[in-house]
Amino acid sequence: MDSLTPATSSQKEALLRRYGATGLSAMGPAMGPWNEVIATMLDHRSVRGYRPDPVPAGTLETMVAAAQSAATSSNMQWTTVIAVGDPAKKKALAEIAGNQKHIEQCPLYLCWVADMTRNGMISTEQKVEFETMPWLETFMVACIDVALAAQNAVVAAESLGLRTVYIGAMRNDPERVAKLLGLPRQSFVVFGLCVGYATAEGAGEVKPRLPQSIVVHHDAYDGDAKAAARKAYDGEMATFAARHEMQASTWTQRVLNRLGPIKSMNGRERMRAALAALGFEVR
Amino acid sequence: MDSLTPATSSQKEALLRRYGATGLSAMGPAMGPWNEVIATMLDHRSVRGYRPDPVPAGTLETMVAAAQSAATSSNMQWTTVIAVGDPAKKKALAEIAGNQKHIEQCPLYLCWVADMTRNGMISTEQKVEFETMPWLETFMVACIDVALAAQNAVVAAESLGLRTVYIGAMRNDPERVAKLLGLPRQSFVVFGLCVGYATAEGAGEVKPRLPQSIVVHHDAYDGDAKAAARKAYDGEMATFAARHEMQASTWTQRVLNRLGPIKSMNGRERMRAALAALGFEVR
């Protein structure tokens, strides 16, 4: 990979888009290593407007090969991918997700399943009790496995000029999603993923993130308030929000809106009950 | 990204390493799209032997920029990264992980924190109750956010010729890890990550995964046993295991060993109690 062309000229611009002027200046003049792989990731934005054009043949297979290449805890490979093409199912899934039309519009819609059924079948077949299955830890590992896999698929798609958006709202009603997709007991859709080519209006732009001074700590958690850094980020997000007519102006306000009232969970406070109904004890 | 050089010649070899001859032949002759980004991901292997050489200056900052560029649910940015350089702390963390020496050896060791403290501080500061915090769903979202971020960091590192391995065994004793790193309430190390240059012996090779015919479903979960495909994979893994003197020969046997006896969890069945002690209700 050392042969990849350095792209120093665009590195500063990419970091500027990702951190804003205040976040970038806080990083100092030194620039870390850089290449096209990293540039691809820095350019990520979630896209909610798709052209009807299909993805190139073999795109799903390439994305899945990337996904399966991610680390998987003890090689247990808990991930299953369901590609949903049936328009009626996509429509129903879009409704569950609060009418997110891009689920219907995108040419490739993937449901990422924490599949504890497949390995569980080995228990039945070999008549060996799997004592590790009912625990929160094992369920968490399955969800983390799925996330690592899906993120590789996202990077693969974006490297091909495609765009994506995760659909966490599949968890608004896990039981109905499971029924629509015919999931067996102990399988659960962690999230959906839209894949396709962005429309001009849907292309969006890179969203600024918290400065690294808040996110990276050394040797121990740094509990200092860093209120100044967060205020600077609030300013970056307010500028971004104004350009995109978003409701909440600052990040602080967005956190208040999203984490304050339970109604913003859209029913997902039912998760434990939903998982129990799907055969997960999460003890 | 369309300008990236196609690398068709190595594509078949990369897929062969990832799926073995039986898995590759089941994919048929058609090859999906391909580029250097995808080749980087397909070449992943977890590395447990590191040279003492430091990583280049700025590597951490570049990895974190990639990590923060991953999608984050509602832009809540639950991820904190603690870079652990203190040899005494690395030694203690290695012990918690069942004496994984690579934690001490690697030049860069990162603890990936589901940080619900930072956003929680906004609740205190603004005197607004965060009703969404005590739920399993919110904790899951934080862990998934962390996984998406970390996987981008891994891809960035590997694109720079570095190698990595996730350390799930930080969860063997979450309270002791939290104490060592001075975590406040409602922060939790999801996993560690070793980063560095592989030794010749540690470099390893790509591990075969389940064939795509088992992993990819269309429109609905496909419950057919696909016993033949799993048997073929058992053969691939037996060959791989023989080359690497691994104990379990087939994948089926490895699943039985890992998921059967509760002792293979190394105490992680305590996860709910550990999380409660760290201030997570996961209701």
Side-chain angles (χ1 to χ4, degrees):
Chain A
M1 288 300 108
D2 291 331
S3 64
L4 288 173
T5 320
T8 327
S9 61
S10 65
Q11 179 175 6
K12 197 173 169 181
E13 293 154 38
L15 289 167
L16 181 64
R17 282 191 293 268
R18 183 56 71 195
Y19 289 109
T22 55
L24 181 63
S25 71
M27 293 175 78
M31 292 278 170
W34 196 257
N35 59 37
E36 286 298 317
V37 178
I38 294 160
T40 295
M41 288 187 282
L42 266 280
D43 191 52
H44 167 80
R45 69 284 309 266
S46 293
V47 161
R48 295 179 178 81
Y50 292 95
R51 307 200 315 249
D53 315 51
V55 300
T59 298
L60 173 60
E61 289 76 7
T62 291
M63 286 176 65
V64 170
Q68 289 189 266
S69 297
T72 153
S73 184
S74 301
N75 202 30
M76 288 300 101
Q77 305 186 62
W78 298 108
T79 305
T80 283
V81 183
I82 304 182
V84 183
D86 177 351
K89 285 194 182 177
K90 286 174 85 177
K91 187 162 186 289
L93 293 171
E95 283 167 9
I96 290 169
N99 290 310
Q100 296 193 41
K101 289 294 175 196
H102 34 281
I103 296 174
E104 293 179 70
Q105 287 165 354
C106 69
L108 183 61
Y109 186 66
L110 305 179
C111 286
W112 293 83
V113 180
D115 181 347
M116 296 180 64
T117 314
R118 182 169 56 223
N119 291 356
M121 279 171 57
I122 295 176
S123 167
T124 313
E125 180 190 296
Q126 306 278 327
K127 299 184 176 58
V128 173
E129 190 191 345
F130 280 8
E131 298 173 354
T132 63
M133 294 292 257
W135 304 93
L136 173 60
E137 157 72 12
T138 309
F139 177 73
M140 276 172 59
V141 165
C143 291
I144 290 167
D145 250 35
V146 166
L148 301 179
Q151 186 56 23
N152 261 18
V154 163
V155 173
E158 292 180 348
S159 79
L160 296 168
L162 294 158
R163 292 296 182 183
T164 65
V165 63
Y166 283 104
I167 307 294
M170 292 292 95
R171 298 193 304 277
N172 288 357
D173 192 344
E175 293 124 302
R176 198 167 151 222
V177 169
K179 196 170 179 189
L180 273 166
L181 301 178
L183 296 194
R185 272 178 74 80
Q186 300 212 313
S187 284
F188 163 69
V189 172
V190 183
F191 42 65
L193 185 76
C194 298
V195 185
Y197 296 102
T199 59
E201 314 80 56
E205 70 177 297
V206 166
K207 189 181 285 179
R209 298 282 198 237
L210 286 167
Q212 291 204 356
S213 61
I214 292 183
V215 170
V216 183
H217 305 202
H218 291 273
D219 282 324
Y221 193 95
D222 181 359
D224 285 352
K226 300 190 179 179
R230 203 181 79 219
K231 280 226 159 54
Y233 179 61
D234 270 345
E236 295 290 349
M237 277 304 292
T239 310
F240 181 87
R243 274 205 302 279
H244 294 82
E245 302 174 49
M246 286 162 65
Q247 290 181 325
S249 54
T250 66
W251 186 67
T252 300
Q253 189 57 51
R254 195 170 166 84
V255 171
L256 287 165
N257 295 354
R258 179 63 189 76
L259 301 180
I262 198 155
K263 70 172 163 46
S264 77
M265 292 187 78
N266 293 311
R268 295 189 215 169
E269 67 275 16
R270 277 194 67 256
M271 187 55 64
R272 287 190 67 81
L275 287 170
L278 295 174
F280 296 95
E281 202 175 330
V282 295
R283 205 188 280 176
Chain B
M1 289 301 110
D2 291 332
S3 63
L4 288 173
T5 320
T8 327
S9 60
S10 65
Q11 179 175 5
K12 197 173 168 182
E13 293 154 38
L15 290 167
L16 181 64
R17 283 192 291 270
R18 183 54 71 195
Y19 290 109
T22 56
L24 181 63
S25 71
M27 294 176 79
M31 293 277 170
W34 195 257
N35 58 38
E36 286 297 319
V37 178
I38 294 159
T40 295
M41 288 188 283
L42 266 279
D43 192 50
H44 168 80
R45 72 282 310 264
S46 293
V47 161
R48 295 179 178 83
Y50 292 95
R51 308 200 314 247
D53 316 51
V55 301
T59 298
L60 173 62
E61 290 74 5
T62 292
M63 285 175 65
V64 170
Q68 289 190 266
S69 297
T72 154
S73 184
S74 301
N75 201 31
M76 289 299 101
Q77 306 186 61
W78 299 108
T79 305
T80 282
V81 183
I82 304 182
V84 183
D86 177 351
K89 285 194 183 179
K90 286 174 86 176
K91 187 163 186 290
L93 293 171
E95 282 168 7
I96 290 169
N99 290 308
Q100 297 194 41
K101 290 294 175 194
H102 34 281
I103 295 174
E104 292 179 70
Q105 288 166 352
C106 70
L108 184 60
Y109 187 66
L110 305 178
C111 286
W112 293 84
V113 180
D115 182 346
M116 296 179 64
T117 313
R118 183 169 56 223
N119 291 357
M121 280 170 58
I122 295 175
S123 167
T124 313
E125 179 190 298
Q126 305 279 327
K127 299 184 177 56
V128 173
E129 190 192 345
F130 281 6
E131 299 174 351
T132 63
M133 294 292 256
W135 304 93
L136 172 61
E137 158 71 13
T138 308
F139 177 74
M140 275 172 60
V141 165
C143 291
I144 291 167
D145 250 35
V146 167
L148 300 180
Q151 187 55 24
N152 261 17
V154 162
V155 173
E158 292 181 347
S159 79
L160 297 167
L162 294 158
R163 293 296 182 182
T164 65
V165 63
Y166 284 105
I167 307 293
M170 291 293 94
R171 299 194 305 278
N172 289 357
D173 192 344
E175 294 126 300
R176 198 166 151 222
V177 169
K179 196 169 179 190
L180 273 166
L181 300 179
L183 296 194
R185 271 179 74 80
Q186 301 211 314
S187 283
F188 162 68
V189 173
V190 184
F191 42 64
L193 185 75
C194 297
V195 185
Y197 296 103
T199 59
E201 314 79 58
E205 70 176 297
V206 167
K207 189 181 284 180
R209 298 283 198 236
L210 286 167
Q212 291 204 357
S213 60
I214 292 183
V215 169
V216 183
H217 304 203
H218 292 272
D219 282 325
Y221 192 95
D222 181 358
D224 285 353
K226 300 191 178 177
R230 204 180 80 219
K231 279 226 160 52
Y233 179 61
D234 270 345
E236 295 290 349
M237 277 304 291
T239 309
F240 181 88
R243 275 204 301 278
H244 294 81
E245 301 174 49
M246 287 162 64
Q247 289 182 327
S249 55
T250 65
W251 186 67
T252 300
Q253 189 57 51
R254 196 171 165 83
V255 171
L256 287 165
N257 295 354
R258 179 65 189 74
L259 301 180
I262 198 156
K263 71 172 162 44
S264 77
M265 293 186 77
N266 293 312
R268 294 190 216 168
E269 67 275 15
R270 278 194 68 256
M271 186 54 65
R272 285 190 68 82
L275 288 170
L278 295 174
F280 297 94
E281 201 173 333
V282 295
R283 205 186 282 177

